[in-house]
Amino acid sequence: MTTPEQEPLPSTPLRLAALEVEAHVAADGWDQAPRLYALVRTAALVEAEPSLAAQLAVPLRDAPDGFTTIEQELHLEGRPLEDVLEEIQWPDAVDGCAVVVERIMLPPEAEEDLPSDPAAVAEAAARHPARQDVRLVAVVDRAGERHSAVRARTPADAALLEGPDLVPGLVQALLRTLDLNA
């Protein structure tokens, strides 16, 4: 996990994809439904579709091993995100994937008083005075590499925390969509 006082993380293609997705979603504000992205190697995409080269935010020569993120439709239909992710299998042309979801986090001491019924837990967490709304980003690739990021809703200038293992449940769910159980 990185905090403002620590050395910055290396700018790997996967980390850059995570930061791009987080910034894209953040631009639309809070209270969003989960969002899903396919990641493809930009070089392979441009090779298959040369006309796309002119539309790249970063020229291919500056990021030859980078990813292009492509937002996918995500139909939850009232089901938990994790259940929907269990049904997804990406074709070989997809080199990785990312998901962004908003959640409520509680401090550990608050969890002791939560009810056992899952529906009641969500309601109790939403009303809890110590709750913290967060946006979670998880990104993985076919090599099993991972990166994650977490941003709190408040304060408005909350730092982005990032590292490979901040949201292990989401990371594992994404790895399974790529037939990886790392």
Side-chain angles (χ1 to χ4, degrees), residues 56-143:
L56 296 175
V58 176
L60 182 58
R61 71 179 176 279
D62 295 341
D65 57 347
F67 290 106
T68 295
T69 57
I70 304 166
E71 189 161 6
Q72 306 295 300
E73 288 188 30
L74 186 59
H75 302 286
L76 297 178
E77 300 163 353
R79 297 180 300 154
L81 172 64
E82 291 77 2
D83 291 352
V84 174
L85 290 176
E86 289 290 329
E87 299 169 1
I88 294 174
Q89 289 190 326
W90 297 102
D92 291 340
V94 172
D95 298 300
C97 55
V99 68
V100 182
V101 63
E102 294 177 12
R103 294 285 195 242
I104 295 171
M105 293 181 66
L106 295 176
E109 60 273 8
E111 295 177 13
E112 297 170 3
D113 298 327
L114 292 175
S116 58
D117 175 51
V121 167
E123 186 177 316
R127 289 191 323 257
H128 199 282
R131 81 180 235 184
Q132 179 74 303
D133 294 337
V134 294
R135 178 177 295 124
L136 309 175
V137 179
V139 183
V140 300
D141 68 13
R142 288 201 183 272

Side-chain angles (χ1 to χ4, degrees), residues 13-14 16-17 20 38-70 93-96:
L14 200 63
L16 294 175
E20 176 187 329
L39 276 61
V40 295
R41 290 284 179 189
T42 303
L45 182 63
V46 169
E47 184 178 317
E49 296 288 337
S51 63
L52 295 177
Q55 299 175 33
L56 296 175
V58 176
L60 182 58
R61 71 179 176 279
D62 295 341
D65 57 347
F67 290 106
T68 295
T69 57
I70 304 166
V94 172
D95 298 300

